[in-house]
Amino acid sequence: MKIWVDRLKQEHTLPPEGYKALLTCTHVDVTTYLHRQAQKVTQARFGNNIYIRGLIEISNCCRNNCYYCGIRKGNPQVERYRLSRETILDCCTQGYELGFRTFVMQGGEDAAQSSEWVEETVAAIRNRFPDCAITLSLGEKTREEYERFFRAGANRYLLRHETFNAEHYKLLHPAEMSQQNRIQCLHWLKEIGYQTGTGIMVGSPGQTTDHLIEDIRFIECFRPQMIGIGPFIPHQDTPFGTSAPGSIEQTLRLLSIFRLMLPDALIPATTALATLAPDGRERGILAGANVVMPNLSPCEERIKYALYNNKASLGAEAAEGLAMLNKQLQAIGYKVLPTRGDAPNGDNPFK
């Protein structure tokens, strides 16, 4: 089994049977070896540095009704909110003073926050913080909208495809949503020049090992600069509210596989990992992650952005807990690096 790990580390690809062997292997020594090789690759590229991104959850209003998401349109239990532009700029100011040099605007697909509003907000952040990277995670848009945001100053975009298998996608989303459109959006983003991120939920309802292999092979072909991967966690007010959460162990296996496949990728230790396990963030880093995303959103709004049950947003998951985060990282031999943290092969947004 370790031969597959060595081959992936050397060649950055495997045949489907190799991926299947690694995903289904439960031998502790093989899994430990996989994580250790991924960690070695990460340290060779990035040292013991962990990049931080300041997460600003700008709205929990969404036009979509994804069956797994707590802020889905059809959930009447959500107390909705939208951040004003000035509040977002205040969050960026707080983050800048703390050492953040990347801001991530994340939100539902909120029609009230129009393309013009997003474009002007991005331009305002770019004008006030010219040395910072701006990442957007606002879902599916038209190519023209993506181009406008890019010209305004955004230079990264996160859009997880969630699952590459079309039938599995239909199981997780209503009929008006299209897996083909999601993939088209990702190609537009790359063509425009964004550093582009995609990724998956691990253990979502109906997911099989073959689905995961399709995801791996798509990411191998697409070659994103960022890969977001986290375990599925149910939200009680969704059709999948009683489903079991995804496996941390399988999530970490996949994280290590992606690190060996794409050594230069920016891969976060996600909040979902930290939500399912107290040491989930640290385990993610030891498996090959090199990014964390503390929450810069106003404290009174964080609890309302509940994509899944018991989402972690305080302590080391919060921007104001940066000292605590640093202490926890130092305990495993890492440190926060307060820079933009571009991927080695990433595009320069100011070229």
Side-chain angles (χ1 to χ4, degrees):
M1 290 297 297
K2 292 180 181 179
I3 293 174
W4 288 122
V5 177
D6 294 336
R7 181 172 169 182
L8 181 58
K9 183 179 179 182
Q10 181 177 355
E11 300 178 9
H12 311 302
T13 185
L14 288 177
E17 61 267 23
Y19 291 128
K20 188 166 190 174
L22 292 179
L23 290 173
T24 57
C25 178
T26 57
H27 295 296
V28 174
D29 58 335
V30 174
T31 301
T32 301
Y33 185 72
L34 171 65
H35 295 331
R36 181 58 185 147
Q37 295 309 306
Q39 184 188 22
K40 285 182 177 180
V41 168
T42 311
Q43 290 178 327
R45 291 297 201 279
F46 303 97
N48 65 339
N49 300 308
I50 299 298
Y51 299 133
I52 54 172
R53 281 73 167 97
L55 178 64
I56 306 170
E57 295 159 336
I58 67 172
S59 172
N60 69 348
C61 303
C62 190
R63 65 181 180 180
N64 293 328
N65 224 1
C66 305
Y67 300 143
Y68 51 83
C69 183
I71 64 170
R72 63 196 298 265
K73 177 179 65 176
N75 182 4
Q77 305 302 318
V78 180
E79 183 182 353
R80 305 288 179 176
Y81 76 88
R82 296 182 178 96
L83 299 187
S84 68
R85 183 174 299 137
E86 280 309 308
T87 298
I88 292 169
L89 288 168
D90 288 345
C91 292
C92 293
T93 299
Q94 175 198 2
Y96 195 89
E97 292 170 353
L98 289 169
F100 289 86
R101 294 298 180 267
T102 291
F103 303 120
V104 181
M105 288 174 53
Q106 182 180 79
E109 295 187 19
D110 185 357
Q113 291 180 325
S114 66
S115 298
E116 292 77 11
W117 184 90
V118 173
E119 182 179 15
E120 291 168 4
T121 302
V122 169
I125 297 172
R126 171 60 61 226
N127 181 62
R128 192 174 296 188
F129 306 99
D131 58 327
C132 292
I134 302 172
T135 302
L136 301 181
S137 182
L138 303 175
E140 297 178 13
K141 306 289 183 182
T142 65
R143 179 174 183 134
E144 188 266 342
E145 288 172 310
Y146 289 142
E147 290 173 342
R148 288 169 58 185
F149 303 158
F150 187 75
R151 289 194 299 267
N155 50 297
R156 299 176 185 148
Y157 204 104
L158 304 173
L159 182 65
R160 297 206 309 190
H161 68 279
E162 305 298 7
T163 177
F164 188 72
N165 182 274
E167 291 305 310
H168 187 218
Y169 189 92
K170 290 178 183 178
L171 179 68
L172 302 176
H173 301 87
E176 61 268 21
M177 296 186 69
S178 160
Q179 182 257 6
Q180 291 83 359
N181 189 65
R182 180 68 58 95
I183 301 302
Q184 178 64 77
C185 286
L186 285 167
H187 286 291
W188 285 336
L189 290 164
K190 264 199 135 181
E191 290 165 5
I192 290 165
Y194 284 95
Q195 291 185 42
T196 304
T198 192
I200 60 176
M201 290 184 299
V202 182
S204 58
Q207 187 180 71
T208 67
T209 300
D210 287 340
H211 293 157
L212 290 175
I213 294 170
E214 289 183 56
D215 290 317
I216 292 171
R217 299 186 75 187
F218 165 67
I219 288 175
E220 179 181 331
C221 179
F222 183 69
R223 305 190 69 79
Q225 286 95 350
M226 301 172 285
I227 305 171
I229 174 173
F232 164 77
I233 304 176
H235 188 287
Q236 70 270 13
D237 297 320
T238 68
F240 295 129
T242 59
S243 299
S247 162
I248 291 180
E249 289 72 22
Q250 188 72 301
T251 302
L252 295 174
R253 285 190 201 98
L254 279 157
L255 197 159
S256 293
I257 286 170
F258 288 132
R259 171 58 67 203
L260 295 177
M261 176 194 298
L262 297 172
D264 290 333
L266 299 164
I267 305 178
T270 58
T271 300
L273 277 172
T275 298
L276 280 188
D279 61 346
R281 182 195 317 99
E282 292 89 333
R283 291 172 67 184
I285 290 168
L286 293 173
N290 64 329
V291 173
V292 293
M293 298 173 64
N295 202 318
L296 273 172
S297 306
C299 292
E300 63 272 18
E301 309 294 8
R302 292 178 197 174
I303 194 171
K304 302 174 188 175
Y305 198 84
L307 305 180
Y308 45 79
N309 291 341
N310 305 313
K311 177 172 168 277
S313 61
L314 302 174
E317 291 301 311
E320 61 272 17
L322 205 53
M324 183 188 306
L325 173 64
N326 236 327
K327 184 177 180 180
Q328 292 177 352
L329 293 178
Q330 288 171 1
I332 59 171
Y334 289 82
K335 68 179 190 297
V336 165
L337 188 66
T339 68
R340 287 164 46 99
D342 290 297
N345 61 348
D347 291 332
N348 180 350
F350 307 116
K351 65 184 179 181

